[in-house]
Amino acid sequence: MCTYTQQSGRILDVCTYGGGGAIATASDAGSIHCLAMVDGGVVRLRRIAPEEGAITKLATVPQSPDLLIYATEGGSLHCVDKRAPMDAWVCDNLAPYGLTTGIVVGSGSEWLATSSSRGFVSIWCAVPIAVLQNRFALVVCLRSRTSRILVHVA
């Protein structure tokens, strides 16, 4: 067992990253760290703006091991490309639907679904912008559970 103390705040989510050779961690202080499992190296991938709040959820993109999707308390969905200094894409205005409680990406990266604390499920269609590069820019379905129970996409 080991303890990782280099990331501030509470760790809210964790997922595999980089084809399974690393773990990404998200904190309520707004940072994402990537821990390499082979050599124990640590890379701070992102530090988000304070107005975005905590990073609430992480997900990997199956067809692109260099990409990581994260949701913020401020209501945005971002895609990190570890090879680039800026986010690959951002989807805003999710705040009215509640905090993102789950993110899942289709095995071919052709769709993305999110669930929220207010009972909404959003399904996003990928819009190809270049060879092997998609942006999830089109919401094709938005459903709400009338019983107001927590919906989780896993």
Side-chain angles (χ1 to χ4, degrees):
M1 182 172 149
C2 66
T3 302
Y4 178 64
T5 59
Q6 302 303 307
Q7 191 168 9
S8 62
R10 292 180 305 122
I11 303 301
L12 298 181
D13 203 11
V14 62
C15 71
T16 59
Y17 185 54
I23 293 175
T25 58
S27 91
D28 65 353
S31 66
I32 299 173
H33 285 205
C34 184
L35 294 79
M37 301 310 293
V38 177
D39 61 8
V42 175
V43 176
R44 187 172 91 182
L45 288 178
R46 287 292 183 273
R47 178 94 175 137
I48 64 171
E51 61 270 11
E52 284 280 356
I55 296 172
T56 60
K57 207 66 185 162
L58 294 171
T60 56
V61 179
Q63 296 295 321
S64 303
D66 291 322
L67 300 181
L68 180 71
I69 297 172
Y70 68 92
T72 68
E73 194 174 34
S76 296
L77 202 60
H78 301 251
C79 182
V80 172
D81 184 336
K82 71 179 181 182
R83 302 162 297 184
M86 297 175 53
D87 289 340
W89 51 260
V90 178
C91 296
D92 290 319
N93 301 322
L94 297 174
Y97 305 112
L99 290 176
T100 299
T101 58
I103 303 170
V104 66
V105 181
S107 61
S109 302
E110 68 280 0
W111 57 267
L112 173 139
T114 61
S115 58
S116 78
S117 60
R118 293 188 60 210
F120 287 89
V121 174
S122 304
I123 300 172
W124 304 73
C125 178
V127 178
I129 62 160
V131 176
L132 298 175
Q133 198 173 22
N134 290 333
R135 300 287 191 264
F136 296 97
L138 179 64
V139 177
V140 293
C141 182
L142 180 63
R143 300 280 181 176
S144 174
R145 298 274 311 216
T146 57
S147 61
R148 297 194 186 270
I149 60 169
L150 183 70
V151 175
H152 182 73
V153 174

